[in-house]
Amino acid sequence: MRESLKAALTNSPDNLPLLILYAQACEEDLEFQELQETWEHVLTLSPMHEQARCGLINSFYLAGKLSEAAVRLEAWLAEGPDYAPAYILASRIALADGTLEEARVYYDEGLKRDASVSDPGLEQTLYPEGRNTEEDDPMTPEEPQRMTPFGPISMDREGDEPPFPDFEAPKLNFQDVGGMEALKEEIRMKVLYPMENPKLFEAYGKSVGGGVLLYGPPGCGKTLISRATAGEINANFLTLSLHEVLNMWIGSSEKQLHALFELARQHKPCVLFIDEVDALAADRRDMRQSAGRTLINQFLAEMDSSHEENDGVLILGATNSPWHIDPAFRRPGRFDRIVFVPPPDEGAREAILNVMAREKPVEKMNFRTLAKVTKEFSGADLKALFDVATEEALTEAMKSGRVVPITGKQLVKAAKKVKPSTSDWFASAKNYAMYANQSGLYDQVLEYMGLKS
Ligand SMILES: Nc1ncnc2c1ncn2[C@@H]1O[C@H](COP(=O)(O)OP(=O)(O)OP(=O)(O)O)[C@@H](O)[C@H]1O
Ligand SMILES: [Mg+2]
């Protein structure tokens, strides 16, 4: 196994999934030097790769370099990573090089983050009498838990840090978004330039606040370009899923919503990304009930750009069905700019394919042809195409017992099997665009469909 992986790596030495498989094989074969070098290589490609950071430290631990392992791990844990296996490793190192008490604390920390990392052998050593799961088991909380958009918060933690995770620092920018030049320019015009030159815009009586609503078929990069926008303006990025806010206990949803907007305001400059904006309008029957209506009002009040606190908070919304959104959402100062995100054009498809190929053993090839024959494919469809081709290559690999690269032929064949999912969206969008196109709201869709020039 290890030998055939090694052979595959000579063809694509920077293939991350392959490197990870190879590292696992090295660990099984107790090749610690090779193990260490492999993880180091992964880290040169992806410096924050948690599995690799943990793997590298583990390679020192396995090779008996205890203090080196302990020092490196301590430095990492000081950053407070949320990676459960790191704590299990810390527990093992503490057991070898520290106290039992320490080892137990780390072990519990690990399980608190992810119960599936439990290790019965280690646990037996740490708790020969059995671990008191009644009290400690994270899976059976004593206190009622409440969902926030980021997971459960415990109700008994008054005065603690806010129950929200760290903000996502900008990682992507427009260079990570393939093609879509027209859309990028539009976002620059509507978002970046105003933020850079607020005075200039004011001089022309244009407001800088408010939000931008991105709409279009699923899987075509709305989320991606929002993240990338945060990177372009060097802002933090926070996602708010309305479905999750709505699923929270009625009555506290408003409070949570307010807390989220406040959090964004405290972390300026910040892109607050609101996914599934239509959720607030999707089920009108529910929404007309007072609870839903208060939530909508709360949302609109938070958004209003007269809310001067929102300076420096860019609100980006995304939806697949803008026609279900209450027109009140589109008033000035709210989602007053509406932008269509079309399926990736040929250049974007080529770029997306190149990104996807990086993660798999693929024959070296030029993706221009494949990009040409995948008209109307979304990013998600292209991924499906890769999955189909991967399965075929994997079947061959199973038969021959070695890694067989995915071929261009298999990909083109797969392209014929996958039906682009954007056609359904355009079928219904067409009706709205033709018959409910108030003030040219959906002109961009009509233009894209060649129904308007
Ligand atoms: N222009 C692009 N360049 C690179 N990758 C892309 C591009 N467009 C889409 N993708 C990829 O396609 C996938 C789907 O994109 P994304 O999640 O941003 O779509 P979405 O429009 O937010 O979909 P949904 O409406 O379902 O939320 C992602 O994995 C993304 O990386
Ligand atoms: Mg999305």
PDB file of all heavy atoms in Angstrom, residues 342-376:
ATOM      1  N   PRO A 342     -24.715  34.535 -11.879  1.00  0.00           N
ATOM      2  CA  PRO A 342     -25.057  33.533 -12.890  1.00  0.00           C
ATOM      3  C   PRO A 342     -24.222  32.271 -12.711  1.00  0.00           C
ATOM      4  O   PRO A 342     -23.257  32.275 -11.945  1.00  0.00           O
ATOM      5  CB  PRO A 342     -24.682  34.243 -14.196  1.00  0.00           C
ATOM      6  CG  PRO A 342     -23.574  35.167 -13.815  1.00  0.00           C
ATOM      7  CD  PRO A 342     -23.831  35.581 -12.390  1.00  0.00           C
ATOM      8  N   PRO A 343     -24.578  31.217 -13.408  1.00  0.00           N
ATOM      9  CA  PRO A 343     -23.717  30.022 -13.397  1.00  0.00           C
ATOM     10  C   PRO A 343     -22.334  30.400 -13.917  1.00  0.00           C
ATOM     11  O   PRO A 343     -22.206  31.353 -14.688  1.00  0.00           O
ATOM     12  CB  PRO A 343     -24.413  29.077 -14.377  1.00  0.00           C
ATOM     13  CG  PRO A 343     -25.818  29.549 -14.456  1.00  0.00           C
ATOM     14  CD  PRO A 343     -25.761  31.032 -14.249  1.00  0.00           C
ATOM     15  N   PRO A 344     -21.318  29.686 -13.501  1.00  0.00           N
ATOM     16  CA  PRO A 344     -19.960  30.032 -13.923  1.00  0.00           C
ATOM     17  C   PRO A 344     -19.822  29.995 -15.446  1.00  0.00           C
ATOM     18  O   PRO A 344     -20.328  29.078 -16.083  1.00  0.00           O
ATOM     19  CB  PRO A 344     -19.091  28.953 -13.258  1.00  0.00           C
ATOM     20  CG  PRO A 344     -20.025  27.852 -12.871  1.00  0.00           C
ATOM     21  CD  PRO A 344     -21.337  28.505 -12.632  1.00  0.00           C
ATOM     22  N   ASP A 345     -19.162  31.012 -15.993  1.00  0.00           N
ATOM     23  CA  ASP A 345     -18.925  31.007 -17.435  1.00  0.00           C
ATOM     24  C   ASP A 345     -17.777  30.039 -17.735  1.00  0.00           C
ATOM     25  O   ASP A 345     -17.212  29.419 -16.837  1.00  0.00           O
ATOM     26  CB  ASP A 345     -18.627  32.429 -17.935  1.00  0.00           C
ATOM     27  CG  ASP A 345     -17.503  33.077 -17.158  1.00  0.00           C
ATOM     28  OD1 ASP A 345     -16.633  32.337 -16.628  1.00  0.00           O
ATOM     29  OD2 ASP A 345     -17.469  34.313 -17.055  1.00  0.00           O
ATOM     30  N   GLU A 346     -17.424  29.974 -19.022  1.00  0.00           N
ATOM     31  CA  GLU A 346     -16.439  28.964 -19.423  1.00  0.00           C
ATOM     32  C   GLU A 346     -15.120  29.115 -18.662  1.00  0.00           C
ATOM     33  O   GLU A 346     -14.560  28.142 -18.160  1.00  0.00           O
ATOM     34  CB  GLU A 346     -16.202  29.079 -20.929  1.00  0.00           C
ATOM     35  CG  GLU A 346     -15.629  27.829 -21.535  1.00  0.00           C
ATOM     36  CD  GLU A 346     -15.523  27.962 -23.048  1.00  0.00           C
ATOM     37  OE1 GLU A 346     -16.564  28.230 -23.688  1.00  0.00           O
ATOM     38  OE2 GLU A 346     -14.403  27.819 -23.573  1.00  0.00           O
ATOM     39  N   GLY A 347     -14.673  30.360 -18.535  1.00  0.00           N
ATOM     40  CA  GLY A 347     -13.420  30.600 -17.816  1.00  0.00           C
ATOM     41  C   GLY A 347     -13.521  30.175 -16.363  1.00  0.00           C
ATOM     42  O   GLY A 347     -12.605  29.561 -15.804  1.00  0.00           O
ATOM     43  N   ALA A 348     -14.664  30.487 -15.758  1.00  0.00           N
ATOM     44  CA  ALA A 348     -14.863  30.109 -14.353  1.00  0.00           C
ATOM     45  C   ALA A 348     -14.894  28.597 -14.214  1.00  0.00           C
ATOM     46  O   ALA A 348     -14.330  28.039 -13.279  1.00  0.00           O
ATOM     47  CB  ALA A 348     -16.159  30.716 -13.833  1.00  0.00           C
ATOM     48  N   ARG A 349     -15.542  27.944 -15.171  1.00  0.00           N
ATOM     49  CA  ARG A 349     -15.609  26.480 -15.080  1.00  0.00           C
ATOM     50  C   ARG A 349     -14.210  25.884 -15.174  1.00  0.00           C
ATOM     51  O   ARG A 349     -13.864  24.965 -14.436  1.00  0.00           O
ATOM     52  CB  ARG A 349     -16.517  25.917 -16.185  1.00  0.00           C
ATOM     53  CG  ARG A 349     -17.977  26.262 -15.987  1.00  0.00           C
ATOM     54  CD  ARG A 349     -18.884  25.375 -16.811  1.00  0.00           C
ATOM     55  NE  ARG A 349     -18.688  25.523 -18.247  1.00  0.00           N
ATOM     56  CZ  ARG A 349     -19.282  26.438 -19.011  1.00  0.00           C
ATOM     57  NH1 ARG A 349     -20.107  27.315 -18.460  1.00  0.00           N
ATOM     58  NH2 ARG A 349     -19.067  26.477 -20.313  1.00  0.00           N
ATOM     59  N   GLU A 350     -13.405  26.428 -16.064  1.00  0.00           N
ATOM     60  CA  GLU A 350     -12.042  25.909 -16.189  1.00  0.00           C
ATOM     61  C   GLU A 350     -11.298  26.102 -14.864  1.00  0.00           C
ATOM     62  O   GLU A 350     -10.619  25.205 -14.372  1.00  0.00           O
ATOM     63  CB  GLU A 350     -11.317  26.627 -17.331  1.00  0.00           C
ATOM     64  CG  GLU A 350      -9.991  25.967 -17.669  1.00  0.00           C
ATOM     65  CD  GLU A 350      -9.266  26.652 -18.833  1.00  0.00           C
ATOM     66  OE1 GLU A 350      -9.945  27.294 -19.669  1.00  0.00           O
ATOM     67  OE2 GLU A 350      -8.041  26.535 -18.885  1.00  0.00           O
ATOM     68  N   ALA A 351     -11.486  27.287 -14.273  1.00  0.00           N
ATOM     69  CA  ALA A 351     -10.809  27.567 -13.001  1.00  0.00           C
ATOM     70  C   ALA A 351     -11.298  26.627 -11.899  1.00  0.00           C
ATOM     71  O   ALA A 351     -10.510  26.099 -11.114  1.00  0.00           O
ATOM     72  CB  ALA A 351     -11.045  29.021 -12.599  1.00  0.00           C
ATOM     73  N   ILE A 352     -12.598  26.404 -11.864  1.00  0.00           N
ATOM     74  CA  ILE A 352     -13.166  25.527 -10.827  1.00  0.00           C
ATOM     75  C   ILE A 352     -12.625  24.109 -11.010  1.00  0.00           C
ATOM     76  O   ILE A 352     -12.236  23.445 -10.051  1.00  0.00           O
ATOM     77  CB  ILE A 352     -14.708  25.528 -10.903  1.00  0.00           C
ATOM     78  CG1 ILE A 352     -15.251  26.924 -10.621  1.00  0.00           C
ATOM     79  CG2 ILE A 352     -15.295  24.527  -9.917  1.00  0.00           C
ATOM     80  CD1 ILE A 352     -16.739  27.079 -10.899  1.00  0.00           C
ATOM     81  N   LEU A 353     -12.601  23.656 -12.280  1.00  0.00           N
ATOM     82  CA  LEU A 353     -12.104  22.300 -12.549  1.00  0.00           C
ATOM     83  C   LEU A 353     -10.654  22.168 -12.102  1.00  0.00           C
ATOM     84  O   LEU A 353     -10.262  21.157 -11.524  1.00  0.00           O
ATOM     85  CB  LEU A 353     -12.244  21.976 -14.045  1.00  0.00           C
ATOM     86  CG  LEU A 353     -13.693  21.752 -14.507  1.00  0.00           C
ATOM     87  CD1 LEU A 353     -13.789  21.787 -16.022  1.00  0.00           C
ATOM     88  CD2 LEU A 353     -14.221  20.422 -13.978  1.00  0.00           C
ATOM     89  N   ASN A 354      -9.877  23.206 -12.361  1.00  0.00           N
ATOM     90  CA  ASN A 354      -8.473  23.153 -11.935  1.00  0.00           C
ATOM     91  C   ASN A 354      -8.357  23.046 -10.427  1.00  0.00           C
ATOM     92  O   ASN A 354      -7.528  22.298  -9.913  1.00  0.00           O
ATOM     93  CB  ASN A 354      -7.725  24.393 -12.426  1.00  0.00           C
ATOM     94  CG  ASN A 354      -7.183  24.189 -13.831  1.00  0.00           C
ATOM     95  OD1 ASN A 354      -6.571  23.160 -14.111  1.00  0.00           O
ATOM     96  ND2 ASN A 354      -7.431  25.141 -14.713  1.00  0.00           N
ATOM     97  N   VAL A 355      -9.211  23.793  -9.723  1.00  0.00           N
ATOM     98  CA  VAL A 355      -9.181  23.729  -8.259  1.00  0.00           C
ATOM     99  C   VAL A 355      -9.550  22.321  -7.789  1.00  0.00           C
ATOM    100  O   VAL A 355      -8.891  21.736  -6.927  1.00  0.00           O
ATOM    101  CB  VAL A 355     -10.165  24.759  -7.653  1.00  0.00           C
ATOM    102  CG1 VAL A 355     -10.323  24.532  -6.154  1.00  0.00           C
ATOM    103  CG2 VAL A 355      -9.673  26.175  -7.929  1.00  0.00           C
ATOM    104  N   MET A 356     -10.596  21.768  -8.393  1.00  0.00           N
ATOM    105  CA  MET A 356     -11.044  20.440  -7.958  1.00  0.00           C
ATOM    106  C   MET A 356     -10.004  19.365  -8.257  1.00  0.00           C
ATOM    107  O   MET A 356      -9.834  18.423  -7.480  1.00  0.00           O
ATOM    108  CB  MET A 356     -12.364  20.091  -8.629  1.00  0.00           C
ATOM    109  CG  MET A 356     -13.489  20.933  -8.072  1.00  0.00           C
ATOM    110  SD  MET A 356     -15.045  20.589  -8.859  1.00  0.00           S
ATOM    111  CE  MET A 356     -16.079  21.704  -7.912  1.00  0.00           C
ATOM    112  N   ALA A 357      -9.318  19.507  -9.392  1.00  0.00           N
ATOM    113  CA  ALA A 357      -8.321  18.495  -9.784  1.00  0.00           C
ATOM    114  C   ALA A 357      -7.162  18.482  -8.807  1.00  0.00           C
ATOM    115  O   ALA A 357      -6.514  17.455  -8.605  1.00  0.00           O
ATOM    116  CB  ALA A 357      -7.827  18.788 -11.195  1.00  0.00           C
ATOM    117  N   ARG A 358      -6.920  19.623  -8.168  1.00  0.00           N
ATOM    118  CA  ARG A 358      -5.815  19.696  -7.216  1.00  0.00           C
ATOM    119  C   ARG A 358      -5.989  18.698  -6.075  1.00  0.00           C
ATOM    120  O   ARG A 358      -5.040  18.269  -5.471  1.00  0.00           O
ATOM    121  CB  ARG A 358      -5.767  21.114  -6.632  1.00  0.00           C
ATOM    122  CG  ARG A 358      -4.572  21.906  -7.104  1.00  0.00           C
ATOM    123  CD  ARG A 358      -4.442  23.155  -6.277  1.00  0.00           C
ATOM    124  NE  ARG A 358      -4.993  24.316  -6.967  1.00  0.00           N
ATOM    125  CZ  ARG A 358      -5.535  25.361  -6.346  1.00  0.00           C
ATOM    126  NH1 ARG A 358      -5.636  25.384  -5.028  1.00  0.00           N
ATOM    127  NH2 ARG A 358      -5.993  26.376  -7.042  1.00  0.00           N
ATOM    128  N   GLU A 359      -7.234  18.377  -5.797  1.00  0.00           N
ATOM    129  CA  GLU A 359      -7.497  17.547  -4.619  1.00  0.00           C
ATOM    130  C   GLU A 359      -7.584  16.064  -4.941  1.00  0.00           C
ATOM    131  O   GLU A 359      -7.876  15.254  -4.080  1.00  0.00           O
ATOM    132  CB  GLU A 359      -8.810  18.001  -3.972  1.00  0.00           C
ATOM    133  CG  GLU A 359      -8.739  19.412  -3.439  1.00  0.00           C
ATOM    134  CD  GLU A 359     -10.106  20.038  -3.279  1.00  0.00           C
ATOM    135  OE1 GLU A 359     -11.122  19.347  -3.503  1.00  0.00           O
ATOM    136  OE2 GLU A 359     -10.157  21.241  -2.936  1.00  0.00           O
ATOM    137  N   LYS A 360      -7.397  15.702  -6.201  1.00  0.00           N
ATOM    138  CA  LYS A 360      -7.569  14.295  -6.578  1.00  0.00           C
ATOM    139  C   LYS A 360      -6.439  13.850  -7.491  1.00  0.00           C
ATOM    140  O   LYS A 360      -5.818  14.675  -8.157  1.00  0.00           O
ATOM    141  CB  LYS A 360      -8.892  14.149  -7.344  1.00  0.00           C
ATOM    142  CG  LYS A 360     -10.118  14.470  -6.511  1.00  0.00           C
ATOM    143  CD  LYS A 360     -11.314  13.722  -7.059  1.00  0.00           C
ATOM    144  CE  LYS A 360     -12.339  13.492  -5.991  1.00  0.00           C
ATOM    145  NZ  LYS A 360     -13.275  14.583  -5.818  1.00  0.00           N
ATOM    146  N   PRO A 361      -6.180  12.547  -7.552  1.00  0.00           N
ATOM    147  CA  PRO A 361      -5.194  12.092  -8.527  1.00  0.00           C
ATOM    148  C   PRO A 361      -5.797  12.150  -9.927  1.00  0.00           C
ATOM    149  O   PRO A 361      -6.616  11.310 -10.279  1.00  0.00           O
ATOM    150  CB  PRO A 361      -4.892  10.647  -8.105  1.00  0.00           C
ATOM    151  CG  PRO A 361      -6.042  10.215  -7.279  1.00  0.00           C
ATOM    152  CD  PRO A 361      -6.713  11.442  -6.740  1.00  0.00           C
ATOM    153  N   VAL A 362      -5.430  13.156 -10.657  1.00  0.00           N
ATOM    154  CA  VAL A 362      -5.986  13.339 -11.998  1.00  0.00           C
ATOM    155  C   VAL A 362      -4.830  13.419 -12.989  1.00  0.00           C
ATOM    156  O   VAL A 362      -3.806  14.043 -12.708  1.00  0.00           O
ATOM    157  CB  VAL A 362      -6.814  14.646 -12.079  1.00  0.00           C
ATOM    158  CG1 VAL A 362      -7.360  14.839 -13.471  1.00  0.00           C
ATOM    159  CG2 VAL A 362      -7.951  14.623 -11.081  1.00  0.00           C
ATOM    160  N   GLU A 363      -5.031  12.775 -14.123  1.00  0.00           N
ATOM    161  CA  GLU A 363      -4.099  12.870 -15.229  1.00  0.00           C
ATOM    162  C   GLU A 363      -3.833  14.344 -15.521  1.00  0.00           C
ATOM    163  O   GLU A 363      -4.756  15.150 -15.485  1.00  0.00           O
ATOM    164  CB  GLU A 363      -4.828  12.271 -16.432  1.00  0.00           C
ATOM    165  CG  GLU A 363      -3.996  11.676 -17.502  1.00  0.00           C
ATOM    166  CD  GLU A 363      -4.938  11.139 -18.594  1.00  0.00           C
ATOM    167  OE1 GLU A 363      -5.782  11.904 -19.095  1.00  0.00           O
ATOM    168  OE2 GLU A 363      -4.827   9.965 -18.907  1.00  0.00           O
ATOM    169  N   LYS A 364      -2.583  14.694 -15.809  1.00  0.00           N
ATOM    170  CA  LYS A 364      -2.305  16.087 -16.164  1.00  0.00           C
ATOM    171  C   LYS A 364      -3.080  16.433 -17.423  1.00  0.00           C
ATOM    172  O   LYS A 364      -3.003  15.727 -18.415  1.00  0.00           O
ATOM    173  CB  LYS A 364      -0.803  16.260 -16.445  1.00  0.00           C
ATOM    174  CG  LYS A 364       0.032  16.510 -15.221  1.00  0.00           C
ATOM    175  CD  LYS A 364       0.829  17.813 -15.367  1.00  0.00           C
ATOM    176  CE  LYS A 364       1.486  18.270 -14.080  1.00  0.00           C
ATOM    177  NZ  LYS A 364       0.754  18.037 -12.854  1.00  0.00           N
ATOM    178  N   MET A 365      -3.862  17.477 -17.383  1.00  0.00           N
ATOM    179  CA  MET A 365      -4.623  17.806 -18.588  1.00  0.00           C
ATOM    180  C   MET A 365      -5.061  19.261 -18.576  1.00  0.00           C
ATOM    181  O   MET A 365      -4.982  19.955 -17.564  1.00  0.00           O
ATOM    182  CB  MET A 365      -5.847  16.908 -18.708  1.00  0.00           C
ATOM    183  CG  MET A 365      -6.951  17.247 -17.735  1.00  0.00           C
ATOM    184  SD  MET A 365      -8.376  16.226 -17.996  1.00  0.00           S
ATOM    185  CE  MET A 365      -8.042  14.872 -16.891  1.00  0.00           C
ATOM    186  N   ASN A 366      -5.509  19.667 -19.732  1.00  0.00           N
ATOM    187  CA  ASN A 366      -6.008  21.006 -19.895  1.00  0.00           C
ATOM    188  C   ASN A 366      -7.527  20.924 -19.827  1.00  0.00           C
ATOM    189  O   ASN A 366      -8.147  20.114 -20.506  1.00  0.00           O
ATOM    190  CB  ASN A 366      -5.557  21.477 -21.285  1.00  0.00           C
ATOM    191  CG  ASN A 366      -5.933  22.896 -21.545  1.00  0.00           C
ATOM    192  OD1 ASN A 366      -7.005  23.350 -21.127  1.00  0.00           O
ATOM    193  ND2 ASN A 366      -5.084  23.612 -22.243  1.00  0.00           N
ATOM    194  N   PHE A 367      -8.133  21.760 -18.996  1.00  0.00           N
ATOM    195  CA  PHE A 367      -9.561  21.610 -18.765  1.00  0.00           C
ATOM    196  C   PHE A 367     -10.419  22.443 -19.708  1.00  0.00           C
ATOM    197  O   PHE A 367     -11.617  22.558 -19.510  1.00  0.00           O
ATOM    198  CB  PHE A 367      -9.891  21.945 -17.313  1.00  0.00           C
ATOM    199  CG  PHE A 367      -9.503  20.848 -16.369  1.00  0.00           C
ATOM    200  CD1 PHE A 367      -8.419  20.989 -15.527  1.00  0.00           C
ATOM    201  CD2 PHE A 367     -10.205  19.652 -16.362  1.00  0.00           C
ATOM    202  CE1 PHE A 367      -8.045  19.963 -14.676  1.00  0.00           C
ATOM    203  CE2 PHE A 367      -9.843  18.615 -15.524  1.00  0.00           C
ATOM    204  CZ  PHE A 367      -8.762  18.773 -14.682  1.00  0.00           C
ATOM    205  N   ARG A 368      -9.772  23.031 -20.720  1.00  0.00           N
ATOM    206  CA  ARG A 368     -10.554  23.907 -21.584  1.00  0.00           C
ATOM    207  C   ARG A 368     -11.694  23.155 -22.271  1.00  0.00           C
ATOM    208  O   ARG A 368     -12.821  23.615 -22.305  1.00  0.00           O
ATOM    209  CB  ARG A 368      -9.639  24.582 -22.612  1.00  0.00           C
ATOM    210  CG  ARG A 368     -10.355  25.724 -23.302  1.00  0.00           C
ATOM    211  CD  ARG A 368      -9.434  26.877 -23.693  1.00  0.00           C
ATOM    212  NE  ARG A 368      -8.446  27.198 -22.702  1.00  0.00           N
ATOM    213  CZ  ARG A 368      -7.235  27.671 -23.005  1.00  0.00           C
ATOM    214  NH1 ARG A 368      -6.886  27.843 -24.253  1.00  0.00           N
ATOM    215  NH2 ARG A 368      -6.384  27.976 -22.051  1.00  0.00           N
ATOM    216  N   THR A 369     -11.379  21.949 -22.770  1.00  0.00           N
ATOM    217  CA  THR A 369     -12.406  21.172 -23.479  1.00  0.00           C
ATOM    218  C   THR A 369     -13.556  20.829 -22.552  1.00  0.00           C
ATOM    219  O   THR A 369     -14.725  20.988 -22.898  1.00  0.00           O
ATOM    220  CB  THR A 369     -11.804  19.841 -23.997  1.00  0.00           C
ATOM    221  OG1 THR A 369     -10.464  20.091 -24.373  1.00  0.00           O
ATOM    222  CG2 THR A 369     -12.601  19.298 -25.140  1.00  0.00           C
ATOM    223  N   LEU A 370     -13.201  20.362 -21.368  1.00  0.00           N
ATOM    224  CA  LEU A 370     -14.247  19.988 -20.416  1.00  0.00           C
ATOM    225  C   LEU A 370     -15.096  21.210 -20.057  1.00  0.00           C
ATOM    226  O   LEU A 370     -16.318  21.117 -19.912  1.00  0.00           O
ATOM    227  CB  LEU A 370     -13.602  19.383 -19.169  1.00  0.00           C
ATOM    228  CG  LEU A 370     -14.529  18.602 -18.242  1.00  0.00           C
ATOM    229  CD1 LEU A 370     -15.238  17.486 -18.988  1.00  0.00           C
ATOM    230  CD2 LEU A 370     -13.745  18.028 -17.071  1.00  0.00           C
ATOM    231  N   ALA A 371     -14.445  22.358 -19.933  1.00  0.00           N
ATOM    232  CA  ALA A 371     -15.179  23.585 -19.614  1.00  0.00           C
ATOM    233  C   ALA A 371     -16.154  23.919 -20.737  1.00  0.00           C
ATOM    234  O   ALA A 371     -17.260  24.401 -20.497  1.00  0.00           O
ATOM    235  CB  ALA A 371     -14.213  24.746 -19.388  1.00  0.00           C
ATOM    236  N   LYS A 372     -15.755  23.630 -21.973  1.00  0.00           N
ATOM    237  CA  LYS A 372     -16.614  23.929 -23.129  1.00  0.00           C
ATOM    238  C   LYS A 372     -17.873  23.067 -23.127  1.00  0.00           C
ATOM    239  O   LYS A 372     -18.944  23.541 -23.478  1.00  0.00           O
ATOM    240  CB  LYS A 372     -15.832  23.669 -24.423  1.00  0.00           C
ATOM    241  CG  LYS A 372     -15.120  24.885 -24.957  1.00  0.00           C
ATOM    242  CD  LYS A 372     -14.855  24.680 -26.445  1.00  0.00           C
ATOM    243  CE  LYS A 372     -13.848  25.624 -27.042  1.00  0.00           C
ATOM    244  NZ  LYS A 372     -13.335  26.728 -26.322  1.00  0.00           N
ATOM    245  N   VAL A 373     -17.715  21.794 -22.734  1.00  0.00           N
ATOM    246  CA  VAL A 373     -18.873  20.889 -22.835  1.00  0.00           C
ATOM    247  C   VAL A 373     -19.724  20.871 -21.564  1.00  0.00           C
ATOM    248  O   VAL A 373     -20.613  20.049 -21.438  1.00  0.00           O
ATOM    249  CB  VAL A 373     -18.442  19.440 -23.176  1.00  0.00           C
ATOM    250  CG1 VAL A 373     -17.729  19.398 -24.510  1.00  0.00           C
ATOM    251  CG2 VAL A 373     -17.581  18.854 -22.066  1.00  0.00           C
ATOM    252  N   THR A 374     -19.454  21.771 -20.622  1.00  0.00           N
ATOM    253  CA  THR A 374     -20.240  21.754 -19.387  1.00  0.00           C
ATOM    254  C   THR A 374     -21.034  23.048 -19.222  1.00  0.00           C
ATOM    255  O   THR A 374     -21.120  23.604 -18.139  1.00  0.00           O
ATOM    256  CB  THR A 374     -19.340  21.551 -18.154  1.00  0.00           C
ATOM    257  OG1 THR A 374     -18.206  22.412 -18.283  1.00  0.00           O
ATOM    258  CG2 THR A 374     -18.876  20.131 -18.035  1.00  0.00           C
ATOM    259  N   LYS A 375     -21.619  23.480 -20.325  1.00  0.00           N
ATOM    260  CA  LYS A 375     -22.433  24.681 -20.296  1.00  0.00           C
ATOM    261  C   LYS A 375     -23.550  24.522 -19.268  1.00  0.00           C
ATOM    262  O   LYS A 375     -24.097  23.431 -19.107  1.00  0.00           O
ATOM    263  CB  LYS A 375     -23.044  24.902 -21.692  1.00  0.00           C
ATOM    264  CG  LYS A 375     -23.034  26.344 -22.110  1.00  0.00           C
ATOM    265  CD  LYS A 375     -23.247  26.504 -23.606  1.00  0.00           C
ATOM    266  CE  LYS A 375     -23.672  27.932 -23.889  1.00  0.00           C
ATOM    267  NZ  LYS A 375     -25.122  28.151 -23.766  1.00  0.00           N
ATOM    268  N   GLU A 376     -23.888  25.585 -18.554  1.00  0.00           N
ATOM    269  CA  GLU A 376     -24.964  25.585 -17.565  1.00  0.00           C
ATOM    270  C   GLU A 376     -24.642  24.801 -16.305  1.00  0.00           C
ATOM    271  O   GLU A 376     -25.471  24.699 -15.412  1.00  0.00           O
ATOM    272  CB  GLU A 376     -26.273  25.058 -18.146  1.00  0.00           C
ATOM    273  CG  GLU A 376     -26.849  25.971 -19.202  1.00  0.00           C
ATOM    274  CD  GLU A 376     -28.233  25.537 -19.662  1.00  0.00           C
ATOM    275  OE1 GLU A 376     -28.692  24.456 -19.274  1.00  0.00           O
ATOM    276  OE2 GLU A 376     -28.836  26.296 -20.418  1.00  0.00           O
TER     277      GLU A 376
END
